[in-house]
Amino acid sequence: MHLHDPDSIGFDAAMADGGPVSALVAMKEQGLTAAIGISGGPVGMLQQFVETDLFDALITHNRFTILDRSASDLFDAATARDVGITNAAPYGAGILTGDPRFAGSYGYRPITRQAAEAFEAVRLLCDEYGVPLAAAALQFSLREPRIHSTVVGVSSLPRLEAAIDDAQLVIPDDLWAAIEDVVPAGIALDA
């Protein structure tokens, strides 16, 4: 059982007596669920929840991608507490699939100049190495040892098959090193 998008009510309200977190804890204590989790986007708030030591699982989206590493400290905090980590939206809400329909936005917001420049650099590197951008974006999440599961939204059977192929594609180590060289560490959607 997950508390999803707690930013809609805020940390204090979620943690209040009789609030959703106390309900989740009660369900776990009563054996109605084996584990409870926190799920959302804003990294700072998610970290507050993880640091309560109440949660068994974490889902974050658009905050750990080939362009945005803002969830890294959150993942460290979760890992230190043996909290399972699910990384959702490794495509940054579509732009990292390479589909031109998603150009100009990242994580459902207009893309920043810095992120757009990093995106273009990564796209060019993938072209140079003959690796589909979507494969690199997906495998960036899959190869991260702190992540236990990656959630990919698909809209059709062919897209599912493409994601499976992308997950299995051999990507040269040199490409990963080159990507690290062109993506500034400070790019983040939010804190």
Side-chain angles (χ1 to χ4, degrees), residues 25 30 34-35 42 44 48 57 81 85 91 94 120 125 143 145 158-159 167 178:
V25 170
Q30 294 169 22
Q48 284 182 285
R81 291 165 172 81
I85 299 170
Y91 302 124
E120 186 60 19
L125 282 169
R143 69 194 302 265
R159 184 61 201 117

Side-chain angles (χ1 to χ4, degrees), residues 117-143:
E117 289 171 0
F119 167 77
E120 186 60 19
V122 169
R123 188 190 66 74
L124 290 171
L125 282 169
C126 287
D127 287 351
E128 178 183 329
Y129 280 83
V131 171
L133 178 61
L138 176 58
Q139 286 194 35
F140 179 79
S141 181
L142 296 175
R143 69 194 302 265

